[in-house]
Amino acid sequence: MKNILVLACLLTPIFAIPARADVVQHAADGFHVHVQVDVAHAPKRVYADLLRIDRWWSSSHTFSGKAQNLSLQARAGGCFCEHWNGGSVEHARVIAALPGHALVLEGALGPLQTMAVEGVLRFALTPHDGGTRVEVDYRVNGSSLSQLSDVAPAVDRVITEQVTRFARFSDRPRAATAH
């Protein structure tokens, strides 16, 4: 058993595990989820990887069941959208795109869309220990009738899963390209 635990620890990339994931605040009318992870590359590369959302977002958290149907346009007014044969969804709209520094989206993700709430999802990138610290905050507000405090733990798990997947994707080695 001890050998299995040691092997599991060795095979798990150290940068791909969130340093901290918290429901910072929660109430009937809103919540704030915070996840922090360190990635072993410079902010410019990490930002570029962030935009490749179809490569790291979980297919199980899409409407079509396929992450390859996701796209993210990195410009104010750009869409974090999902398009497939027979449907489309706007998950969020970009309200700030600051390459190498931050990406801010406005939208109620997943089942929150039908709850008439508003959400802001912020990815902040800062240089840290030769790599990049990625801090993700998702703040959701709405009517107290929404009982958002009840859904905060589930949203925290989903956001933490996505940030962990992103960190693993961004930390992967890249093959050299021929010129």
Side-chain angles (χ1 to χ4, degrees):
M1 181 68 167
K2 181 180 174 185
N3 291 339
I4 292 171
L5 181 60
V6 169
L7 182 60
C9 290
L10 291 174
L11 294 177
T12 303
I14 196 164
F15 284 108
I17 299 172
R20 189 176 85 199
D22 296 307
V23 176
V24 178
Q25 296 176 313
H26 61 90
D29 63 348
F31 62 84
H32 172 195
V33 170
H34 176 85
V35 182
Q36 177 181 297
V37 67
D38 292 339
V39 179
H41 299 287
K44 183 177 178 180
R45 174 182 162 167
V46 173
Y47 184 85
D49 286 343
L50 189 61
L51 303 180
R52 300 175 70 192
I53 201 158
D54 60 318
R55 302 286 306 275
W56 56 266
W57 195 268
S58 172
S59 290
S60 64
H61 294 288
T62 65
F63 284 86
S64 68
K66 295 182 179 179
Q68 68 193 28
N69 294 328
L70 297 172
S71 62
L72 179 56
Q73 301 166 330
R75 59 175 172 72
C79 188
F80 167 24
C81 288
E82 182 176 357
H83 299 278
W84 69 98
N85 188 16
S88 64
V89 175
E90 179 183 271
H91 294 283
R93 190 172 319 103
V94 175
I95 58 175
L98 306 166
H101 300 284
L103 183 67
V104 185
L105 310 168
E106 182 178 51
L109 300 175
L112 295 174
Q113 285 188 337
T114 60
M115 295 177 70
V117 300
E118 295 181 3
V120 174
L121 179 63
R122 177 179 166 261
F123 295 85
L125 312 176
T126 54
H128 180 75
D129 287 343
T132 302
R133 173 151 294 159
V134 181
E135 293 191 67
V136 180
D137 291 283
Y138 189 40
R139 291 178 172 87
V140 177
N141 292 294
S143 163
S144 61
L145 297 173
S146 300
Q147 292 299 307
L148 289 170
S149 187
D150 295 344
V151 300
V155 173
D156 179 51
R157 284 189 297 276
V158 171
I159 297 297
T160 299
E161 175 189 355
Q162 303 317 313
V163 173
T164 301
R165 290 174 60 88
F166 167 71
R168 287 186 180 137
F169 172 74
S170 191
D171 263 345
R172 86 221 176 282
R174 287 198 180 154
T177 56
H179 294 287

